[in-house]
Amino acid sequence: MTDLNDAALLRYSRHIMLPEIDIEGQQRLAAARVLVIGAGGLGSPVALYLASAGVGHITLADDDVVELSNLQRQVVHDMASLGQNKAESARARMLALNPDIAVRALGERLDAQRLLQEAGLHDLLLDCSDNFTTRHAVNRASVAAGVPLVSGAAVRFAGQLAVFDPRVAGSPCYHCLFAEEGEASDGPCATFGVLSPLVGVIGSLQAVEAVKLLAGRAPVLGRLTLYDALSGEFRQMKFSRDPDCPVCAVR
């Protein structure tokens, strides 16, 4: 594991005080490699909290550039970021927050082959994208590479969160929960709109699950968390693996 110097012990002292994390958990975080798909609304709090939590190696993948309409919710960027690639902009903000971590920016849309290649280099995937096509592609890479996945989504006033771990025999994948057919209603917030703090809520929950998992806590699988920002209510529903799932049924 990665040793922590005096400055790191001070920086992460509030983590180390937690018996569920302690020094060993913080060392695990420092040694961890995480791939974040999307540096927009969900990716913003994920990127900032993973950086501040001391995750040692973070890769951000996003081929988009920062536009003025993004600043309503994508808090990792600012006015000086306009026109910049989102992954590069987020990287600069993360390193300003914590220069002791390594952040790699991929200013590209990862196809299936590249997703699988990158997934195999990391300990955890975080899907912070805004469309089902990408979510399913990330899920296939997660299953094929045997790397856990924290998936989040937010649109209008509704958000959702789930954790998947193909290393656990019999556990479901994203496709078990959402089939690829009949999902044309899903789309980016440019089409449907989104409440700005909602992506902060869901992205922060993704970061919570990521930090717990990387620190050595076993994830809760087969559970979808739903948040309705209008009512302020959280609901949870259980789901199981689809025995006929074309992605994870044979693994």
Side-chain angles (χ1 to χ4, degrees), residues 1-102:
M1 292 186 185
T2 303
D3 290 332
L4 302 177
N5 58 28
D6 289 344
L9 291 173
L10 178 60
R11 178 187 284 269
Y12 308 119
S13 59
R14 300 308 188 269
H15 266 177
I16 294 170
M17 291 169 64
L18 300 172
E20 296 85 355
I21 297 182
D22 208 339
I23 290 181
E24 182 178 348
Q26 194 61 48
Q27 289 174 320
R28 289 178 181 272
L29 290 172
R33 296 181 176 273
V34 175
L35 172 60
V36 181
I37 308 297
L42 296 173
S44 288
V46 164
L48 292 174
Y49 275 118
L50 294 188
S52 65
V55 175
H57 308 272
I58 303 170
T59 299
L60 294 174
D62 198 316
D63 67 336
D64 201 4
V65 299
V66 181
E67 300 177 357
L68 185 61
S69 62
N70 300 146
L71 302 185
Q72 168 249 16
R73 64 202 175 279
Q74 299 181 16
V75 295
V76 76
H77 312 298
D78 56 28
M79 289 294 291
S81 305
L82 293 178
Q84 294 180 20
N85 170 261
K86 288 183 180 180
E88 292 287 355
S89 170
R91 177 181 183 274
R93 183 74 174 273
M94 293 162 71
L95 291 177
L97 181 64
N98 189 349
D100 296 327
I101 62 172

Side-chain angles (χ1 to χ4, degrees), residues 94-251:
M94 293 162 71
L95 291 177
L97 181 64
N98 189 349
D100 296 327
I101 62 172
V103 183
R104 175 171 163 247
L106 299 178
E108 59 183 291
R109 182 178 294 273
L110 302 180
D111 60 20
Q113 182 177 355
R114 288 280 286 126
L115 270 173
L116 180 57
Q117 178 186 30
E118 288 294 332
L121 301 175
H122 295 83
D123 305 307
L124 177 65
L125 310 182
L126 284 108
D127 184 357
C128 301
S129 64
D130 64 358
N131 64 88
F132 271 109
T133 299
T134 300
R135 291 175 200 144
H136 280 290
V138 174
N139 176 65
R140 286 191 291 270
S142 164
V143 173
V147 177
L149 165 65
V150 179
S151 178
V155 68
R156 298 187 180 100
F157 291 89
Q160 64 185 38
L161 169 81
V163 181
F164 307 92
D165 194 342
R167 301 172 301 178
V168 178
S171 64
C173 76
Y174 183 85
H175 194 284
C176 296
L177 181 61
F178 296 110
E180 293 188 61
E181 301 79 16
E183 294 169 338
S185 62
D186 180 72
C189 22
T191 304
F192 297 116
V194 63
L195 181 71
S196 57
L198 174 64
V199 294
V201 172
I202 302 301
S204 295
L205 290 175
Q206 286 183 269
V208 167
E209 296 301 324
V211 169
K212 290 192 303 182
L213 192 152
L214 294 170
R217 304 290 295 180
V220 177
L221 306 175
R223 183 179 69 184
L224 177 67
T225 298
L226 302 169
Y227 173 60
D228 183 337
L230 282 176
S231 67
E233 293 181 342
F234 281 94
R235 293 187 297 115
Q236 291 186 332
M237 57 174 285
K238 295 181 179 180
F239 62 97
S240 56
R241 193 183 76 168
D242 177 1
D244 297 319
C245 177
V247 177
C248 72
V250 180
R251 72 169 188 258

